[in-house]
């Protein structure tokens, strides 16, 4: 059982024991984190888990409230067991290095394919379509440009885990039609420019920053208590870029 599942289970038990009644607001994330001696990101994942179970409801800017008991509610087991923030951290560590390697290995064909993926992404944005196909395509093509099938398959596997994750889908429901997709497009362009320049340091930095931007978006849309909180997810440290 993952840590967020343990915290979610304890919160669920407290609700079932009557510590929190229907309509009650749960304590702020900061207080829950202190109570269980965990990070706020773990608490956030636990609350998303309970939201998917229909145990609580998140009101952005207001708080997390207890819902009436669902007679046939299924206990959410976290499908793959990975929380969305943990998954994102793994991607950040892996794909930053992959981007650096791709900058040294990419062929002209690889670069043309990545350009096409970016144009596809631009088309979705211009038509107002929330479609992640081009986003995923760009990342997988970049991994393929490393000319290492093991790395390419690892990136594909992480995207498959993300698509199967009910936790991730729960967060995505809170994103809506935001301007974040425009930022992702700009990020992808910066990564591709670094690859074109054969600059592994810049490619690594651009990918790291891209996924850092995704992380901040997740924090923003999943934190119903404090939208301005600039919390550090897993205490992430930027990679050494001058080696």
């Amino acid at each position: 059982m993952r840590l967020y599942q343990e915290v979610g289970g304890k919160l669920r038990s407290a609700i079932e024991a009557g510590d929190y009644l229907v309509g009650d607001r749960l304590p702020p994330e900061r207080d829950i984190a202190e109570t269980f001696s965990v990070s706020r990101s773990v608490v956030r994942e636990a609350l998303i888990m309970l939201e998917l179970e229909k145990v609580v409801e998140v009101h952005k800017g207001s708080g997390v409230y207890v819902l009436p008991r669902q007679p046939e509610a299924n206990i959410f087991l976290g499908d793959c067991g990975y929380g969305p923030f943990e998954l994102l951290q793994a991607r950040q560590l892996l794909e930053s290095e992959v981007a650096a390697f791709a900058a040294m290995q990419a062929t002209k064909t690889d670069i043309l394919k990545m350009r096409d993926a970016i144009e596809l992404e631009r088309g979705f944005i211009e038509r107002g379509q929330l479609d992640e196909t081009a986003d995923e395509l760009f990342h997988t093509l970049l991994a393929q440009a490393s000319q290492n099938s093991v790395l390419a398959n690892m990136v594909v596997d992480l995207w498959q885990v993300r698509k199967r994750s009910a936790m991730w889908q729960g967060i995505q429901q809170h994103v809506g039609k935001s301007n974040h997709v425009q930022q992702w497009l700009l990020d992808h362009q910066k990564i591709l420019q670094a690859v074109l320049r054969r600059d592994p340091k810049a490619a690594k930095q651009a990918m790291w920053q891209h996924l850092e931007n995704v992380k901040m978006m997740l924090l923003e849309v999943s934190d119903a208590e404090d939208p301005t909180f600039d919390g550090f997810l897993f205490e992430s440290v930027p990679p050494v870029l001058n080696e």
Side-chain angles (χ1 to χ4, degrees):
M1 183 177 291
R2 313 297 294 181
L3 187 55
Y4 77 84
Q5 292 173 311
E6 293 182 16
V7 173
K10 291 175 181 177
L11 289 172
R12 188 194 309 109
S13 295
I15 292 171
E16 292 174 347
D19 294 347
Y20 303 102
L21 303 177
V22 173
D24 284 353
R25 186 173 69 175
L26 295 186
E29 288 181 0
R30 185 179 294 105
D31 293 350
I32 297 175
E34 291 176 357
T35 297
F36 295 110
S37 299
V38 297
S39 68
R40 286 188 59 167
S41 61
V42 169
V43 173
R44 194 166 292 117
E45 291 176 349
L47 293 175
I48 293 170
M49 181 186 86
L50 294 179
E51 184 181 20
L52 290 169
E53 292 179 6
K54 307 299 183 183
V55 173
V56 301
E57 185 173 42
V58 177
H59 295 172
K60 187 169 178 60
S62 175
V64 181
Y65 296 85
V66 178
L67 291 174
R69 183 178 177 83
Q70 303 294 318
E72 297 181 357
N74 294 320
I75 300 301
F76 177 68
L77 298 177
D79 42 21
C80 62
Y82 304 129
F85 302 111
E86 184 177 16
L87 176 60
L88 183 60
Q89 185 188 50
R91 286 188 58 206
Q92 193 172 40
L93 291 168
L94 173 64
E95 293 193 53
S96 296
E97 296 295 342
V98 168
F101 196 39
M104 297 184 285
Q105 300 289 101
T107 66
K108 180 179 179 180
T109 299
D110 293 324
I111 290 170
L112 291 175
K113 287 180 179 179
M114 284 186 278
R115 279 180 171 170
D116 288 343
I118 286 177
E119 287 308 307
L120 179 63
E121 184 178 8
R122 192 193 314 278
F124 284 138
I125 294 172
E126 291 175 350
R127 293 190 295 273
Q129 295 177 256
L130 292 176
D131 192 319
E132 294 186 329
T133 303
D135 186 4
E136 179 182 356
L137 179 61
F138 176 81
H139 283 265
T140 54
L141 287 173
L142 180 66
Q144 291 171 16
S146 71
Q147 313 306 327
N148 185 302
S149 59
V150 176
L151 292 175
N153 287 336
M154 289 172 70
V155 170
V156 169
D157 288 346
L158 285 175
W159 273 85
Q160 291 303 313
V161 169
R162 167 179 152 162
K163 288 195 289 187
R164 293 194 304 267
S165 171
M167 290 285 286
W168 183 274
Q169 297 306 319
I171 285 182
Q172 287 294 88
Q173 291 175 8
H174 295 293
V175 175
K177 293 186 177 180
S178 68
N179 293 323
H180 293 109
V181 289
Q182 186 65 49
Q183 179 63 58
W184 305 163
L185 176 63
L186 294 175
D187 289 349
H188 291 163
Q189 290 174 326
K190 289 179 181 178
I191 295 167
L192 182 55
Q193 285 299 318
V195 173
L196 280 167
R197 297 195 307 270
R198 299 291 184 188
D199 189 338
K201 178 180 174 181
K204 180 177 181 179
Q205 186 174 30
M207 178 61 80
W208 185 277
Q209 187 59 53
H210 169 49
L211 294 175
E212 191 74 8
N213 292 339
V214 176
K215 180 183 79 176
M216 297 312 297
M217 180 274 290
L218 292 183
L219 286 170
E220 176 188 329
V221 302
S222 63
D223 184 358
E225 303 257 340
D226 185 5
T228 63
F229 173 63
D230 61 348
F232 297 101
L233 188 66
F234 292 102
E235 300 292 336
S236 60
V237 178
V240 177
L241 299 173
N242 57 0
E243 293 184 348

